[in-house]
Amino acid sequence: MNGGGRERGRLTGSQEIEAAQIRARVAWLYFIGGLTQQDIADQLGLTRLRINKILGQVRSDGSVFIDIRLPMADCVEAEQRLKERFGLDAVTVVPALPDEAEQQRVIGEAAGALLDTLLENGMGVGVGWGKTLAAGLKRVTARPMTQSWVTSVMGGLTRGSGSSTFEVATGYARAMSAECYYLAAPLYFPTPESRTMLLSHHGIRETMRRARAVDVALLSCGDMTARSLLVQTQTVDENLDSLRAAGAVGDLLGVFLDAEGRPVDHPLNERVLSLAPHELTPVRYSILASGGLYKVPIVRAILRAGYVKRFVTDERCAAALLEN
């Protein structure tokens, strides 16, 4: 019986990482950042009693000795520097992992945990697509939020993978027991005129209205390599050379951006069905979840432009963003 109890109480790998991050954040903010216990409690959304307990633990177990020796301390320092560098409200940096798929999963779960702390009944939640955001579903506490709604904020692809706009939006809506709205149309249209025509449809028009009114937006971004599912599509692949020539370093919501975060002058950007990046600026809680060294150019562009205020990434990506 006792063995079974220990098994049920064992933390998963992601929960262990999160617990270690909390300890490291508390220690760094107190011993290096000079914040009071109450300041730390307010910033991290914890009780002062828990802060006091953590500080007692790190003092007694040897985690603090002149400098902080916790393995997450570098991640915590990077979080503070990224907040200052890009004017962000919150940053989560997870440890770097050698496996790319595992790295995506850990970033996604950390983003889901962040989202979970922000959700309130009555909110509108906008979500993008991709494996990272799909992984975040594991960390969203299932609870009835019947006054809330979820909407996709971009059109979809013509094949499913468990991480399409429709599947990801549906997953979050189910976790919240909320109504779901879809941009039930392709991400890119054949012509700007066909896009304009579809936007006159009352259902699509209503979904776009809701997308522009969300309280929370959970997003990822794409680079210009074959790692990007968007680049693997025929529509983008056949335009890849001209997109690069136009200065594109990646996409946010299917809109291709240059190194400063400006939409490039390219026909695809005139045919895309999604929120425009600048429409994210007034969103109360906007979260970008993305990592990997190959995504540094597009992530930097998004942060420079100020499209989002919360950011979840890995320590290698964080270090590259802070290099210059």
Side-chain angles (χ1 to χ4, degrees):
M1 292 295 289
N2 288 340
R6 285 194 298 270
E7 182 68 29
R8 285 192 298 272
R10 186 174 298 164
L11 298 177
T12 66
S14 295
Q15 288 171 330
E16 288 177 351
I17 289 174
E18 184 178 357
Q21 282 181 315
I22 291 172
R23 293 178 69 236
R25 287 190 184 103
V26 170
W28 196 94
L29 291 170
Y30 187 79
F31 293 103
I32 305 298
L35 274 65
T36 67
Q37 292 184 27
Q38 189 60 55
D39 289 338
I40 298 168
D42 292 341
Q43 181 168 323
L44 300 183
L46 304 173
T47 65
R48 185 171 176 179
L49 180 62
R50 186 174 178 190
I51 301 300
N52 184 270
K53 182 177 179 181
I54 290 172
L55 290 173
Q57 288 173 340
V58 298
R59 282 189 181 104
S60 63
D61 65 13
S63 295
V64 176
F65 180 75
I66 300 177
D67 60 348
I68 296 179
R69 298 163 59 186
L70 288 165
M72 303 291 180
D74 288 344
C75 293
V76 179
E77 182 175 2
E79 290 171 357
Q80 302 302 315
R81 292 178 61 194
L82 285 168
K83 284 174 66 176
E84 294 169 5
R85 172 74 62 89
F86 295 105
L88 297 164
D89 292 337
V91 177
T92 299
V93 176
V94 301
L97 299 175
D99 184 81
E100 189 174 307
E102 280 297 289
Q103 189 73 81
Q104 277 188 313
R105 180 186 62 79
V106 170
I107 291 171
E109 290 191 17
L114 174 59
L115 173 68
D116 196 58
T117 66
L118 302 173
L119 291 176
E120 299 174 5
N121 197 14
M123 281 183 164
V125 179
V127 294
W129 72 301
K131 294 178 182 177
T132 302
L133 303 190
L137 280 166
K138 297 178 182 178
R139 302 305 305 278
V140 175
T141 306
R143 57 196 186 269
M145 297 178 61
T146 54
Q147 296 177 38
S148 294
W149 42 269
V150 176
T151 182
S152 55
V153 291
M154 57 194 295
L157 302 180
T158 55
R159 65 177 186 266
S161 61
S163 57
S164 73
T165 50
F166 311 113
E167 293 160 321
V168 173
T170 298
Y172 281 94
R174 284 176 177 166
M176 299 162 54
S177 299
E179 194 168 8
C180 195
Y181 293 81
Y182 305 99
L183 282 175
L187 181 58
Y188 296 108
F189 281 79
T191 65
E193 291 76 19
S194 58
R195 176 186 180 276
T196 300
M197 183 175 295
L198 185 81
L199 284 171
S200 66
H201 183 277
H202 67 90
I204 298 295
R205 188 170 63 244
E206 170 63 11
T207 302
M208 284 298 295
R209 183 192 71 78
R210 286 183 178 270
R212 293 186 176 105
V214 296
D215 302 286
V216 185
L218 179 62
L219 315 162
S220 188
C221 62
D223 63 291
M224 300 294 289
T225 74
R227 290 183 177 92
S228 167
L229 292 177
L230 199 54
V231 169
Q232 294 174 28
T233 65
Q234 181 179 345
T235 299
V236 175
D237 180 63
E238 64 189 16
N239 284 279
L240 202 54
D241 289 341
S242 57
L243 281 165
R244 286 175 174 148
V249 296
D251 81 278
L252 176 65
L253 298 175
V255 178
F256 285 89
L257 308 175
D258 67 15
E260 298 302 318
R262 298 170 299 217
V264 299
D265 183 12
H266 191 278
L268 271 189
N269 279 350
E270 299 174 4
R271 294 157 42 194
V272 64
L273 180 67
S274 72
L275 281 185
H278 73 268
E279 292 179 300
L280 296 168
T281 305
V283 174
R284 183 179 173 191
Y285 301 120
S286 49
I287 306 168
L288 175 67
S290 216
L293 288 176
Y294 59 96
K295 284 196 178 182
V296 169
I298 182 60
V299 168
R300 180 183 284 121
I302 292 166
L303 298 183
R304 278 177 174 169
Y307 295 134
V308 299
K309 286 299 183 183
R310 284 166 172 76
F311 179 41
V312 183
T313 193
D314 65 272
E315 59 183 326
R316 279 192 295 256
C317 183
L321 290 166
L322 291 167
E323 279 180 0
N324 48 49

